[in-house]
Amino acid sequence: MSFITRGFSGRSRDRDDRLPPGQTLVPDFPVLSAGPTPEVDTAEWEFTIRTESGVHRWNWDEFMALAIEDVDTDIHCVTHWSKLGTNWRGVSLDTLFEHVETEREFVMAHSYGGYTTNVPLDELLGGKAWVAFEFDGEPLEPEHGGPARLLVPHLYFWKSAKWVRGLLMMDEDEPGFWEQNGYHLHGDPWTEERYW
Amino acid sequence: MEHVDGNALAGPLAEFFSFDATTATARCNGCGAIGELARAMVYRSGAGTVVRCSSCDHVLATLVETAGRAWIGLSGISAIEVPRGPATSSG
Ligand SMILES: [Zn+2]
């Protein structure tokens, strides 16, 4: 079901009910970067999950041998753009956590280049998050977070950390990079959790 | 020792928060370099502006701006020196 809104131009159109409040559709894929693009060779890439009991580690070849999923999803950036029906391939966090034992309920995602972002573990499991390495059938370009980025499409896109290199399990929810500097700890686009 | 509440900051902080960023210097928490903010590397993304140390790439400061609200983060800077006019009488 959709309802009619009037845009600034006076044109009326059906507002897509896949679009969260305050968002506008874009056809392209804006690049938002807080620093230089890290160049990470897949030969040196690794992904880790650090828990209270140790470190789980995958190199690129080991990662590619895991169950790979096709993901069709909408993405929503806090800067008011949304893109519907994007296509990704990656490994589900359910697969990565299959053999991980942890009592800790919060995650800090760490990226090559130093970026961090926090997400509760239960928001990464249950088919809600992936480590993605393909976009639109092509290897993920470095400017979009390649070789691999976190994909948590039900939260604002700053949570989908580019150049992800690992997850650190934490006892408490602690703010990541943008969350320390004005952005919301959680970031649900449907309730517009944009800032503090 | 007695303390007073934060309203006492109004005068002293007005000077700091109206400083000219092109002439201020800052000490980087990453490498300890003391340099002019004007020489820092500034990255503008949609999410916000990130200021990085030109010596070590460490994040010095962040700016987040939206309609009606703005944030400045200075966690990468241990102190900022701002130029001031001729000294007034002080003990
Ligand atoms: Zn530095």
Side-chain angles (χ1 to χ4, degrees):
Chain A
M1 197 181 81
S2 58
F3 55 92
I4 306 296
T5 58
R6 285 188 187 279
F8 297 116
S9 63
R11 285 177 303 135
S12 65
R13 61 181 176 87
D14 291 332
R15 185 177 163 89
D16 196 311
D17 60 11
R18 292 173 294 175
L19 203 56
Q23 297 294 105
T24 305
L25 286 179
V26 291
D28 55 342
F29 193 157
V31 173
L32 303 173
S33 233
T37 299
E39 297 290 337
V40 186
D41 193 331
T42 53
E44 280 146 37
W45 182 90
E46 70 166 12
F47 186 80
T48 58
I49 298 177
R50 289 170 197 273
T51 72
E52 61 274 37
S53 57
V55 184
H56 300 255
R57 215 178 273 280
W58 294 265
N59 65 25
W60 189 258
D61 290 339
E62 290 163 343
F63 203 81
M64 291 299 127
L66 298 170
I68 293 166
E69 297 182 8
D70 277 291
V71 184
D72 282 298
T73 190
D74 306 334
I75 56 178
H76 310 292
C77 182
V78 70
T79 59
H80 299 276
W81 60 263
S82 289
K83 196 168 162 62
L84 302 181
T86 59
N87 175 248
W88 307 78
R89 289 182 83 223
V91 174
S92 168
L93 274 277
D94 296 307
T95 301
L96 294 170
F97 274 89
E98 211 169 314
H99 302 293
V100 174
E101 298 269 338
T102 181
E103 298 293 314
R104 297 185 175 170
E105 294 177 7
F106 299 95
V107 176
M108 186 70 81
H110 287 258
S111 294
Y112 290 99
Y115 181 77
T116 56
T117 191
N118 59 300
V119 188
L121 179 58
D122 66 0
E123 304 230 11
L124 295 177
L125 301 180
K128 286 188 286 204
W130 295 264
V131 172
F133 51 84
E134 275 185 28
F135 175 73
D136 255 352
E138 300 288 338
L140 196 56
E141 289 171 29
E143 65 173 8
H144 288 307
R149 76 181 296 161
L150 197 60
L151 179 63
V152 194
H154 73 285
L155 298 177
Y156 280 125
F157 212 45
W158 88 78
K159 296 287 188 181
S160 293
K162 295 199 268 193
W163 314 296
V164 70
R165 65 176 171 85
L167 307 178
L168 173 66
M169 302 307 303
M170 306 185 294
D171 285 322
E172 311 280 339
D173 200 7
E174 291 171 27
F177 180 79
W178 284 119
E179 295 85 357
Q180 288 173 36
N181 290 302
Y183 284 90
H184 199 279
L185 202 60
H186 181 230
D188 178 359
W190 295 95
T191 54
E192 291 203 72
E193 292 175 337
R194 297 176 192 275
Y195 306 100
W196 291 352
Chain B
M1 190 179 150
E2 294 272 311
H3 65 266
V4 296
D5 73 24
N7 287 308
L9 290 170
L13 277 192
E15 178 176 355
F16 283 95
F17 285 113
S18 62
F19 67 84
D20 179 356
T22 63
T23 53
T25 57
R27 183 180 183 280
C28 171
N29 275 337
C31 68
I34 298 168
E36 291 167 17
L37 275 177
R39 291 185 52 245
M41 301 179 294
V42 176
Y43 293 87
R44 293 175 195 276
S45 79
T49 299
V50 177
V51 184
R52 290 175 180 269
C53 174
S54 58
S55 301
C56 77
D57 221 31
H58 185 77
V59 175
L60 296 174
T62 57
L63 303 171
V64 173
E65 292 170 272
T66 181
R69 302 178 70 188
W71 291 257
I72 180 164
L74 298 169
S75 63
I77 291 174
S78 61
I80 297 176
E81 177 185 353
V82 305
R84 66 191 316 200
T88 51
S89 65
S90 64

